[in-house]
Amino acid sequence: MADETRPTSGEGQSSGGGGGERRPQRSGPGGGREGGPGGRKYFRRKKVCKFCTEKIDSINYKDVRLLAQFVAESGKIVPRRLTGVCTPHQRRLSSAIKLARNIALLPFAGRAA
Amino acid sequence: MNRTYELMFIVRPDMPEEEQDKLISYLENAVTTSGGQVKNVEKMGKRRLAYTVRKFHDGLYILLTFQGSGGLVHELERRLRVNEPVIKFLSVRIDEEQKRLDKIKAIRDSKRKVPPAPATPEPAGEAPAVTA
Protein backbone atom coordinates (compact mmCIF):
# COMPACT_ATOMS: atom_id res chain seq x y z
CA MET A 1 0.00 0.00 0.00
CA ALA A 2 2.99 2.25 0.35
CA ASP A 3 3.15 2.68 -3.40
CA GLU A 4 -0.25 4.29 -3.27
CA THR A 5 1.28 7.61 -2.33
CA ARG A 6 2.77 8.17 -5.73
CA PRO A 7 -0.46 8.15 -7.75
CA THR A 8 -2.18 10.20 -5.05
CA SER A 9 0.31 13.00 -5.32
CA GLY A 10 -0.13 13.01 -9.07
CA GLU A 11 -3.86 13.18 -8.57
CA GLY A 12 -3.58 16.27 -6.44
CA GLN A 13 -1.92 18.23 -9.21
CA SER A 14 -4.49 17.45 -11.86
CA SER A 15 -7.48 17.84 -9.57
CA GLY A 16 -8.17 21.20 -11.18
CA GLY A 17 -9.44 19.67 -14.36
CA GLY A 18 -11.86 16.76 -14.28
CA GLY A 19 -10.67 15.31 -11.00
CA GLY A 20 -14.14 14.11 -10.12
CA GLU A 21 -14.24 11.44 -12.78
CA ARG A 22 -10.78 10.27 -11.95
CA ARG A 23 -11.70 9.48 -8.36
CA PRO A 24 -12.98 5.93 -9.03
CA GLN A 25 -9.76 5.15 -10.76
CA ARG A 26 -7.81 6.25 -7.79
CA SER A 27 -9.53 3.75 -5.52
CA GLY A 28 -8.44 1.06 -7.92
CA PRO A 29 -4.83 0.63 -6.89
CA GLY A 30 -5.87 0.16 -3.28
CA GLY A 31 -7.52 -3.17 -3.94
CA GLY A 32 -7.59 -3.91 -7.66
CA ARG A 33 -3.92 -3.56 -8.38
CA GLU A 34 -4.25 -2.75 -12.02
CA GLY A 35 -1.07 -1.76 -13.70
CA GLY A 36 -0.80 1.97 -13.45
CA PRO A 37 1.70 4.21 -15.15
CA GLY A 38 4.28 2.70 -12.83
CA GLY A 39 3.85 -0.55 -14.70
CA ARG A 40 3.01 -3.46 -12.44
CA LYS A 41 4.20 -6.59 -14.13
CA TYR A 42 1.46 -8.98 -13.13
CA PHE A 43 -2.16 -8.48 -12.25
CA ARG A 44 -3.21 -9.59 -8.82
CA ARG A 45 -6.79 -10.60 -8.34
CA LYS A 46 -8.66 -8.42 -5.90
CA LYS A 47 -9.15 -10.23 -2.63
CA VAL A 48 -12.61 -10.11 -1.12
CA CYS A 49 -13.76 -10.67 2.40
CA LYS A 50 -14.69 -14.32 2.94
CA PHE A 51 -17.26 -13.42 5.56
CA CYS A 52 -19.00 -10.88 3.34
CA THR A 53 -19.14 -13.07 0.25
CA GLU A 54 -20.19 -16.24 2.03
CA LYS A 55 -22.49 -14.30 4.36
CA ILE A 56 -21.02 -15.76 7.51
CA ASP A 57 -22.58 -13.63 10.24
CA SER A 58 -21.29 -15.17 13.40
CA ILE A 59 -17.61 -15.56 14.03
CA ASN A 60 -17.66 -17.82 17.03
CA TYR A 61 -14.63 -18.76 19.07
CA LYS A 62 -15.79 -22.39 19.08
CA ASP A 63 -15.59 -22.70 15.33
CA VAL A 64 -11.98 -23.78 15.23
CA ARG A 65 -12.04 -24.92 11.64
CA LEU A 66 -13.09 -21.48 10.47
CA LEU A 67 -10.67 -19.60 12.69
CA ALA A 68 -7.74 -21.82 11.80
CA GLN A 69 -7.90 -20.54 8.23
CA PHE A 70 -6.87 -17.11 9.50
CA VAL A 71 -4.08 -18.23 11.77
CA ALA A 72 -0.60 -18.69 10.38
CA GLU A 73 1.54 -21.74 11.09
CA SER A 74 3.32 -19.79 13.77
CA GLY A 75 0.01 -19.18 15.53
CA LYS A 76 -0.21 -15.55 14.52
CA ILE A 77 -3.36 -13.92 13.25
CA VAL A 78 -2.94 -13.34 9.52
CA PRO A 79 -3.18 -9.63 8.68
CA ARG A 80 -6.02 -8.22 6.63
CA ARG A 81 -3.77 -7.22 3.77
CA LEU A 82 -2.97 -10.87 3.13
CA THR A 83 -6.40 -12.40 3.61
CA GLY A 84 -8.60 -9.62 2.24
CA VAL A 85 -11.00 -9.73 5.19
CA CYS A 86 -12.82 -6.43 5.71
CA THR A 87 -12.17 -4.33 8.79
CA PRO A 88 -15.36 -5.09 10.79
CA HIS A 89 -14.95 -8.79 10.22
CA GLN A 90 -11.26 -8.78 11.00
CA ARG A 91 -12.06 -7.13 14.31
CA ARG A 92 -14.54 -9.85 15.21
CA LEU A 93 -12.24 -12.51 13.89
CA SER A 94 -9.29 -11.42 15.96
CA SER A 95 -11.31 -11.28 19.16
CA ALA A 96 -12.73 -14.73 18.42
CA ILE A 97 -9.23 -16.09 17.86
CA LYS A 98 -8.09 -14.58 21.13
CA LEU A 99 -10.96 -16.23 22.99
CA ALA A 100 -10.18 -19.54 21.35
CA ARG A 101 -6.58 -19.22 22.45
CA ASN A 102 -7.66 -18.72 26.03
CA ILE A 103 -9.57 -21.97 26.11
CA ALA A 104 -6.80 -23.93 24.38
CA LEU A 105 -8.64 -24.38 21.11
CA LEU A 106 -5.96 -22.48 19.24
CA PRO A 107 -2.31 -22.12 20.11
CA PHE A 108 -0.74 -18.89 21.28
CA ALA A 109 2.43 -19.78 19.45
CA GLY A 110 3.42 -22.60 17.20
CA ARG A 111 1.36 -25.40 15.83
CA ALA A 112 -1.35 -27.08 17.86
CA ALA A 113 0.66 -29.83 19.50
CA MET B 1 -30.34 -8.41 35.38
CA ASN B 2 -30.91 -11.28 33.06
CA ARG B 3 -28.16 -12.05 30.66
CA THR B 4 -27.14 -15.10 28.75
CA TYR B 5 -23.72 -16.49 29.31
CA GLU B 6 -21.76 -19.37 28.02
CA LEU B 7 -19.34 -21.10 30.31
CA MET B 8 -16.86 -23.42 28.69
CA PHE B 9 -14.56 -25.42 30.86
CA ILE B 10 -12.06 -28.19 30.48
CA VAL B 11 -11.67 -31.00 32.95
CA ARG B 12 -8.83 -33.47 33.09
CA PRO B 13 -9.21 -36.27 30.56
CA ASP B 14 -9.16 -39.08 33.11
CA MET B 15 -12.19 -37.80 34.99
CA PRO B 16 -14.86 -40.52 35.24
CA GLU B 17 -18.25 -39.94 33.71
CA GLU B 18 -20.20 -39.93 36.98
CA GLU B 19 -17.90 -37.33 38.48
CA GLN B 20 -18.43 -35.10 35.46
CA ASP B 21 -22.17 -35.38 35.94
CA LYS B 22 -21.71 -34.60 39.60
CA LEU B 23 -19.74 -31.47 38.77
CA ILE B 24 -22.30 -30.38 36.20
CA SER B 25 -25.22 -30.83 38.59
CA TYR B 26 -23.24 -28.98 41.25
CA LEU B 27 -22.89 -26.02 38.88
CA GLU B 28 -26.51 -26.24 37.78
CA ASN B 29 -27.45 -26.10 41.41
CA ALA B 30 -25.47 -22.92 41.86
CA VAL B 31 -27.22 -21.37 38.87
CA THR B 32 -30.73 -22.18 40.04
CA THR B 33 -30.16 -21.17 43.67
CA SER B 34 -29.09 -17.67 42.65
CA GLY B 35 -32.13 -17.18 40.45
CA GLY B 36 -30.59 -18.18 37.16
CA GLN B 37 -31.74 -20.64 34.60
CA VAL B 38 -29.76 -23.38 32.89
CA LYS B 39 -30.45 -23.43 29.19
CA ASN B 40 -28.20 -26.12 27.86
CA VAL B 41 -25.39 -28.41 28.87
CA GLU B 42 -23.23 -29.92 26.22
CA LYS B 43 -20.41 -32.34 26.64
CA MET B 44 -18.16 -31.67 23.71
CA GLY B 45 -16.03 -34.70 24.44
CA LYS B 46 -12.33 -35.23 24.47
CA ARG B 47 -10.21 -32.85 22.45
CA ARG B 48 -6.57 -32.30 21.99
CA LEU B 49 -5.43 -29.07 23.66
CA ALA B 50 -3.58 -26.54 21.54
CA TYR B 51 -0.96 -26.25 24.24
CA THR B 52 -0.18 -28.06 27.46
CA VAL B 53 -2.22 -27.00 30.46
CA ARG B 54 -1.12 -28.36 33.83
CA LYS B 55 0.86 -31.02 32.03
CA PHE B 56 -2.21 -32.27 30.18
CA HIS B 57 -2.32 -32.62 26.41
CA ASP B 58 -5.99 -33.57 26.18
CA GLY B 59 -9.06 -32.36 27.93
CA LEU B 60 -12.78 -32.96 28.19
CA TYR B 61 -14.65 -29.89 27.06
CA ILE B 62 -17.99 -29.07 28.65
CA LEU B 63 -20.20 -26.17 27.61
CA LEU B 64 -22.83 -24.72 29.92
CA THR B 65 -25.27 -22.09 28.68
CA PHE B 66 -27.31 -20.25 31.27
CA GLN B 67 -29.18 -17.10 32.10
CA GLY B 68 -28.37 -15.03 35.12
CA SER B 69 -26.57 -12.05 36.53
CA GLY B 70 -22.94 -11.12 36.47
CA GLY B 71 -22.54 -12.10 40.09
CA LEU B 72 -23.55 -15.61 39.21
CA VAL B 73 -20.71 -15.81 36.70
CA HIS B 74 -18.38 -14.75 39.43
CA GLU B 75 -19.69 -17.47 41.72
CA LEU B 76 -19.42 -20.18 39.07
CA GLU B 77 -15.88 -19.16 38.24
CA ARG B 78 -14.98 -19.30 41.91
CA ARG B 79 -16.39 -22.80 42.14
CA LEU B 80 -14.49 -23.92 39.09
CA ARG B 81 -11.29 -22.44 40.43
CA VAL B 82 -11.45 -24.43 43.65
CA ASN B 83 -12.44 -27.58 41.79
CA GLU B 84 -9.29 -29.59 41.31
CA PRO B 85 -10.09 -31.54 38.10
CA VAL B 86 -11.05 -28.39 36.21
CA ILE B 87 -8.00 -27.23 34.30
CA LYS B 88 -9.34 -24.26 32.34
CA PHE B 89 -12.52 -22.26 31.92
CA LEU B 90 -13.87 -19.34 29.93
CA SER B 91 -17.14 -17.49 30.32
CA VAL B 92 -18.53 -15.37 27.52
CA ARG B 93 -21.62 -13.23 27.39
CA ILE B 94 -23.58 -14.20 24.32
CA ASP B 95 -26.92 -12.37 24.41
CA GLU B 96 -25.69 -9.22 22.70
CA GLU B 97 -24.08 -11.17 19.90
CA GLN B 98 -27.29 -13.16 19.53
CA LYS B 99 -29.26 -9.94 19.34
CA ARG B 100 -27.00 -8.68 16.60
CA LEU B 101 -27.40 -11.91 14.65
CA ASP B 102 -31.17 -11.81 14.98
CA LYS B 103 -31.16 -8.26 13.68
CA ILE B 104 -29.08 -9.18 10.67
CA LYS B 105 -31.34 -12.14 10.00
CA ALA B 106 -34.45 -9.95 10.22
CA ILE B 107 -32.96 -7.45 7.80
CA ARG B 108 -32.00 -10.20 5.40
CA ASP B 109 -35.47 -11.75 5.54
CA SER B 110 -37.21 -8.44 4.91
CA LYS B 111 -34.93 -7.84 1.94
CA ARG B 112 -35.76 -11.21 0.46
CA LYS B 113 -39.49 -10.46 0.40
CA VAL B 114 -39.07 -7.18 -1.45
CA PRO B 115 -37.57 -7.62 -4.93
CA PRO B 116 -34.20 -5.94 -5.09
CA ALA B 117 -34.22 -2.41 -6.38
CA PRO B 118 -32.57 -1.90 -9.77
CA ALA B 119 -28.97 -1.10 -9.21
CA THR B 120 -27.99 2.41 -10.12
CA PRO B 121 -25.82 2.28 -13.22
CA GLU B 122 -22.26 3.16 -12.49
CA PRO B 123 -21.09 6.06 -14.62
CA ALA B 124 -18.46 4.38 -16.67
CA GLY B 125 -17.34 7.63 -18.18
CA GLU B 126 -13.78 7.73 -19.24
CA ALA B 127 -11.72 10.49 -17.79
CA PRO B 128 -10.61 12.76 -20.60
CA ALA B 129 -6.90 12.87 -20.88
CA VAL B 130 -6.44 16.40 -19.74
CA THR B 131 -2.95 17.43 -18.91
CA ALA B 132 -2.81 20.22 -16.45
Side-chain angles (χ1 to χ4, degrees):
Chain A
M1 297 300 160
D3 49 336
E4 214 181 353
T5 49
R6 193 156 32 82
T8 324
S9 59
E11 201 69 35
Q13 286 169 356
S14 64
S15 65
E21 277 144 317
R22 286 256 197 111
R23 192 89 50 80
Q25 273 192 331
R26 208 226 282 181
S27 70
R33 304 270 157 73
E34 269 172 276
R40 197 172 286 266
K41 292 294 183 290
Y42 38 84
F43 176 78
R44 196 176 294 158
R45 196 165 56 89
K46 187 184 177 188
K47 283 176 233 139
V48 284
C49 177
K50 180 192 171 78
F51 300 99
C52 291
T53 50
E54 293 181 21
K55 295 200 173 144
I56 304 168
D57 298 324
S58 70
I59 304 178
N60 200 309
Y61 69 97
K62 282 171 284 183
D63 195 350
V64 184
R65 209 173 289 170
L66 177 71
L67 299 181
Q69 296 171 18
F70 298 93
V71 175
E73 294 249 314
S74 59
K76 284 183 175 182
I77 300 172
V78 184
R80 248 166 46 70
R81 66 166 190 276
L82 299 182
T83 55
V85 177
C86 69
T87 313
H89 280 128
Q90 178 78 7
R91 214 176 306 143
R92 292 182 182 284
L93 180 68
S94 63
S95 54
I97 290 172
K98 285 167 188 174
L99 279 178
R101 282 175 180 168
N102 268 328
I103 196 73
L105 291 172
L106 287 177
F108 279 101
R111 291 194 63 80
Chain B
M1 203 69 80
N2 222 6
R3 289 171 175 167
T4 315
Y5 294 95
E6 211 172 59
L7 180 60
M8 189 188 258
F9 56 99
I10 312 171
V11 296
R12 46 194 302 161
D14 50 7
M15 195 180 188
E17 189 83 19
E18 58 265 31
E19 280 198 36
Q20 289 173 43
D21 292 330
K22 224 160 114 188
L23 174 63
I24 290 168
S25 63
Y26 169 67
L27 293 174
E28 280 177 337
N29 226 340
V31 173
T32 46
T33 47
S34 60
Q37 187 187 354
V38 179
K39 287 185 132 182
N40 194 26
V41 182
E42 194 193 334
K43 281 187 197 165
M44 296 167 72
K46 200 168 182 172
R47 269 189 66 103
R48 194 153 192 95
L49 301 176
Y51 46 88
T52 36
V53 184
R54 297 199 195 170
K55 294 182 184 168
F56 290 110
H57 292 279
D58 305 85
L60 291 163
Y61 280 72
I62 300 168
L63 185 70
L64 173 72
T65 316
F66 63 93
Q67 258 181 12
S69 62
L72 173 56
V73 178
H74 213 80
E75 170 63 18
L76 288 179
E77 288 195 347
R78 191 193 64 80
R79 289 188 186 209
L80 288 177
R81 214 168 280 134
V82 298
N83 219 304
E84 212 266 305
V86 177
I87 58 177
K88 221 157 175 45
F89 58 85
L90 175 80
S91 41
V92 181
R93 187 175 163 192
I94 55 167
D95 53 340
E96 287 189 322
E97 174 75 1
Q98 193 55 46
K99 216 164 114 187
R100 195 182 66 88
L101 291 179
D102 290 344
K103 202 169 149 189
I104 292 173
K105 196 165 179 289
I107 291 169
R108 206 162 272 169
D109 286 348
S110 66
K111 270 187 185 160
R112 204 161 291 157
K113 277 170 202 155
V114 183
T120 48
E122 280 292 317
E126 279 179 46
V130 180
T131 44

